[in-house]
Amino acid sequence: MKKIAIYSRKSKETDTGESIKNQINLCKNYFSNKYSNCNFEIFVDEGFSGGNTNRPSFQNMMKFSRLNKFDIIGIYKIDRIARNITDFFNIYNELEKNNIKLVSITEGFDATTPIGRMMMTILAGFADMERENIRERIKDNMNELAKLGRWSGGTPPSGYISESKYINGKKITYLKLLENKKEIIEKIFKLASENFTTYQIGKELNISSKTISNIIANPTYIKSDLEAKHYLENIGYKVYGDINGKGFLSYGRRPKRNGKKLYNSPDKFVSVSVHEGIVDSLTWIKANENLKKRALIGRPRISNNSFLAHLVTCKCGSKMFLTYSYTKKNGYKSFYFKCSGKKNKSINCNSSSIRASVLEEKVLDVLIKISIGRAHV
């Protein structure tokens, strides 16, 4: 008896191509015609991209394959299992180690032969290329919508909502100002232009300082005029559309790469939109200049608990922060340096904490030796 796992995936129910049901039936027919006795187990992921291997049914299938529960994994097309060539070969190599054959029923390659492996490489490469092309088309489409001043999706900026209208049968989305939020936004920019810090503004308005910073830096709130256009161009934006006194729609300010948001994107741009801007260009520019100047000043790195605070770096490259343990019996605090990367789980680090007093003593010994050495020169 052949133990066969059939894996089927579809990004959306409305996608073009064979439905999940058809993919499964075609796979069953293929193997039933080839082998006299088959035992099928079905794994289905719906609504997941091929660029993401963290799919629940797919992961379950791979767990079973490690237990040698299957002889064959059957797929309708190679891009059902992965659209990234690196992911595909990682999957294929793992299956090969477990003596599990991978079969694409429509593309008809035998992965156990050199020519089959070559065909598999070519097909996986095409799937990878197709995925990148789809991503670029989506990005280009969103860019074109944004250049027309249309809202292209996501969470609207504070003080706005997205509003859709049907024009000539087409659904078009723009931003709409919430009148009850206008006064708060105006006050944020007024205080920022008068050199109040984001912390001070946030405390007065009961808004986080991070949110205040994001609002100030966002061109959505500025009324479009020539001064605004020139300033935005000077700080790296491309500007589209005719100046009309309305707001700008920004795009690509904080793109993501590997899940992390980036700053200073070379592809960022603004387009003159139809939504109401809130702040005149001079106030917006002054608020942003004050924000930038304050960012350059930096906070004083002083601690009453260790002269090495903010100066210690872990062997993994992360900064080490100062913390303490508290002894209830005598009320004594012991201070330690710990790896911030390890704490935030942003990096795999096996370093342990080090007592601040021990580290200070070692540093002072080195400094004394250097001082003595110079004195004898």
Side-chain angles (χ1 to χ4, degrees):
M1 178 185 289
K2 287 289 182 183
K3 296 176 289 184
I4 301 171
I6 295 175
Y7 180 74
S8 177
R9 177 192 65 78
K10 205 167 180 65
S11 296
K12 293 179 183 176
E13 188 62 38
T14 55
D15 279 354
T16 58
E18 293 292 342
S19 68
I20 284 176
K21 185 178 179 180
N22 284 349
Q23 289 179 39
I24 293 169
N25 288 336
L26 287 166
C27 286
K28 281 184 174 180
N29 291 337
Y30 176 88
F31 291 112
S32 295
N33 291 331
K34 192 164 187 177
Y35 304 105
S36 58
N37 195 2
C38 299
N39 181 35
F40 296 109
E41 189 156 351
I42 310 301
F43 297 87
V44 174
D45 281 312
E46 190 170 335
F48 288 87
S49 164
N52 173 21
T53 58
N54 190 25
R55 299 167 241 141
S57 288
F58 174 75
Q59 289 298 328
N60 286 338
M61 182 182 71
M62 294 303 292
K63 287 175 185 175
F64 283 122
S65 71
R66 293 176 195 118
L67 299 172
N68 297 111
K69 297 288 185 182
F70 314 121
D71 300 311
I72 298 170
I73 289 179
I75 49 177
Y76 176 71
K77 285 178 68 177
I78 201 170
D79 65 0
R80 298 301 87 191
I81 205 164
R83 280 181 180 261
N84 178 297
I85 195 165
T86 303
D87 289 341
F88 179 82
F89 276 107
N90 288 336
I91 295 162
Y92 172 74
N93 289 334
E94 184 173 345
L95 294 177
E96 191 175 42
K97 286 177 186 175
N98 294 313
N99 296 314
I100 297 172
K101 188 176 179 182
L102 179 65
V103 175
S104 167
I105 66 161
T106 57
E107 291 153 338
F109 60 76
D110 182 353
T112 61
T113 65
I115 190 69
R117 282 193 290 273
M118 184 187 75
M119 286 300 298
M120 183 177 62
T121 303
I122 294 170
L123 291 168
F126 277 125
D128 198 4
M129 183 175 67
E130 182 187 7
R131 177 171 170 262
E132 290 302 316
N133 287 338
I134 290 170
R135 181 186 292 172
E136 285 301 314
R137 284 198 298 271
I138 292 170
K139 180 182 174 183
D140 291 343
N141 186 49
M142 291 179 73
N143 284 356
E144 291 307 312
L145 289 176
K147 288 174 186 178
L148 295 172
R150 300 177 188 177
W151 180 246
S152 54
T155 304
S158 300
Y160 291 93
I161 59 170
S162 59
E163 183 180 58
S164 296
K165 299 177 182 178
Y166 284 89
I167 300 174
N168 297 327
K170 287 187 177 181
K171 185 180 178 181
I172 299 174
T173 306
Y174 295 102
L175 290 181
K176 181 182 178 181
L177 176 65
L178 295 170
E179 289 296 334
N180 62 334
K181 300 290 185 181
K182 184 176 179 180
E183 188 177 341
I184 296 173
I185 302 295
E186 287 176 333
K187 192 164 187 179
I188 289 171
F189 279 95
K190 182 177 182 298
L191 292 173
S193 68
E194 292 172 357
N195 218 22
F196 282 80
T197 66
T198 54
Y199 174 79
Q200 291 168 330
I201 300 169
K203 192 172 181 181
E204 180 171 337
L205 300 176
N206 196 27
I207 303 173
S208 74
S209 58
K210 185 177 181 180
T211 300
I212 298 293
S213 295
N214 288 336
I215 289 172
I216 293 170
N218 195 334
T220 302
Y221 303 100
I222 187 174
K223 295 177 181 177
S224 61
D225 61 19
L226 288 176
E227 285 291 334
K229 180 179 184 291
H230 293 151
Y231 182 82
L232 290 169
E233 287 174 337
N234 285 336
I235 60 174
Y237 284 95
K238 294 182 180 71
V239 180
Y240 296 94
D242 298 323
I243 299 301
N244 61 3
K246 298 288 186 178
F248 286 105
L249 186 68
S250 63
Y251 189 83
R253 286 197 311 134
R254 298 289 308 280
K256 285 185 178 180
R257 182 177 297 164
N258 298 326
K260 292 184 177 180
K261 289 186 176 180
L262 306 177
Y263 292 88
N264 300 321
S265 167
D267 298 323
K268 64 184 180 181
F269 65 85
V270 295
S271 177
V272 178
S273 185
V274 297
H275 71 267
E276 183 182 342
I278 300 175
V279 186
D280 66 85
S281 59
L282 293 179
T283 302
W284 192 90
I285 292 168
K286 196 169 182 181
N288 273 268
E289 285 297 304
N290 288 341
L291 188 69
K292 285 196 292 185
K293 285 175 187 175
R294 191 165 286 108
L296 294 173
I297 294 171
R299 296 177 182 175
R301 299 194 168 189
I302 298 170
S303 171
N304 294 325
N305 301 312
S306 175
F307 67 85
L308 293 175
H310 306 284
L311 297 174
V312 183
T313 301
C314 180
K315 64 182 181 181
C316 71
S318 302
K319 290 291 183 181
M320 298 191 81
F321 66 96
L322 192 65
T323 186
Y324 66 89
S325 62
Y326 185 76
T327 307
K328 289 184 178 179
K329 188 175 180 180
N330 55 20
Y332 180 73
K333 288 182 180 179
S334 298
F335 289 90
Y336 299 86
F337 283 100
K338 289 187 176 182
C339 174
S340 60
K342 186 177 181 179
K343 179 191 175 187
N344 299 328
K345 297 180 180 179
S346 59
I347 195 165
N348 186 17
C349 177
N350 61 1
S351 66
S352 56
S353 60
I354 181 169
R355 191 185 286 267
S357 58
V358 172
L359 188 59
E360 288 172 348
E361 187 177 341
K362 290 182 179 294
V363 170
L364 286 172
D365 284 344
V366 171
L367 292 174
I368 289 168
K369 287 177 183 177
I370 293 172
S371 178
I372 292 171
R374 286 182 176 176
H376 288 292
V377 173

